[in-house]
Amino acid sequence: MKPAVDPLAQLAEIRTIMERSSRFISLSGLSGVGAGVVALAGAGFGHWYLRTQYGPGGFVRLMEGSEQMRHSTLPFLLGLALVIILLAGGVAVYFTQRRTHSSGRSLWDPVVRRLFWSMAIPLVVGGLFCLQLYLRGAAGLVVPGMLLFYGLALLNASKYTLDEIKLLGISELVVGLVATLFPNWAFVFFAIGFGLCHIGYGLLMYNRYERQASAQ
């Protein structure tokens, strides 16, 4: 006599299979930690550079300075942002690809493409918007704007990956909103949002999904 089949167990198994096929679940927590460390280093370097150029409170002087001053500093800030994005993205791809390879999945399957575009569009729009803020003299709102658009991008992408991304997105939105109240502390909030929040998220992901597998 065949054993009775548990309908609830079958439904749970089907749901698990559907989630695995519609969500990218191979994100690495170490990629978040690495991206956070890169962001902290970038914030520190940016603060040091502006301090050497404009003295103590370098960013405040830049924010309150002339249009010519902002334009002359723009290439450095854009270059710094590009380096941070490339290094953080490279670290994220490296650790995620390593975990994806061990799970037998592709790093560029249809789910990953949907995840990429759901983040890319808000980030590109946000970047262009923040550039206009800077050029029009609202430099103090650039970092809050970056954090807010990044948080929205994470929330938009959360439907294609693990739910913990929502927590990171909400954290970025909260930090971004608080940063609007203290524009003179832009680099501090940049370090908190893109640095510490990423590190905390990465450690949470690693302890929850990867630590046991690494120990084995």
Side-chain angles (χ1 to χ4, degrees):
M1 184 176 179
K2 294 183 178 180
V5 178
D6 186 356
L8 293 178
Q10 283 188 323
L11 288 174
E13 183 178 358
I14 292 172
R15 180 181 178 183
T16 300
I17 294 173
M18 292 179 64
E19 285 186 347
R20 292 180 68 90
S21 63
S22 62
R23 289 192 171 199
F24 183 67
I25 59 175
S26 298
L27 287 176
S28 172
L30 295 178
S31 65
V33 174
V37 171
V38 170
L40 287 176
F45 181 73
H47 175 72
W48 171 82
Y49 176 85
L50 293 181
R51 184 182 177 90
T52 59
Q53 293 295 312
Y54 305 117
F59 181 78
V60 177
R61 291 175 180 268
L62 174 65
M63 186 173 60
E64 297 174 349
S66 64
E67 181 178 355
Q68 181 180 2
M69 182 186 296
R70 291 195 306 276
H71 283 197
S72 64
T73 312
L74 182 59
F76 166 77
L77 295 176
L78 290 177
L80 179 62
L82 180 61
V83 170
I84 292 175
I85 291 172
L86 290 177
L87 289 179
V91 169
V93 169
Y94 170 76
F95 284 112
T96 301
Q97 185 176 30
R98 191 174 69 171
R99 187 171 183 222
T100 302
H101 180 74
S102 64
S103 65
R105 292 194 61 166
S106 171
L107 187 60
W108 193 243
D109 60 18
V111 176
V112 178
R113 288 195 289 271
R114 289 194 292 269
L115 172 65
F116 173 80
W117 286 113
S118 65
M119 287 196 65
I121 294 175
L123 290 178
V124 171
V125 172
L128 294 175
F129 179 76
C130 290
L131 179 61
Q132 287 299 313
L133 287 177
Y134 181 86
L135 293 176
R136 295 177 183 276
L141 293 177
V142 171
V143 170
M146 292 168 62
L147 290 166
L148 291 173
F149 275 98
Y150 182 55
L152 292 174
L154 291 173
L155 290 179
N156 192 42
S158 63
K159 57 183 175 289
Y160 298 117
T161 186
L162 297 170
D163 290 337
E164 285 79 4
I165 288 290
K166 289 183 181 179
L167 178 61
L168 178 60
I170 293 172
S171 300
E172 300 292 345
L173 291 175
V174 171
V175 175
L177 289 174
V178 175
T180 62
L181 303 176
F182 306 96
N184 293 353
W185 294 82
F187 275 107
V188 174
F189 286 104
F190 183 96
I192 294 173
F194 293 110
L196 298 183
C197 286
H198 269 111
I199 292 174
Y201 154 80
L203 292 175
L204 173 66
M205 293 281 288
Y206 181 79
N207 288 326
R208 183 169 292 181
Y209 298 108
E210 301 174 62
R211 187 173 185 176
Q212 185 175 0
S214 299
Q216 294 174 352

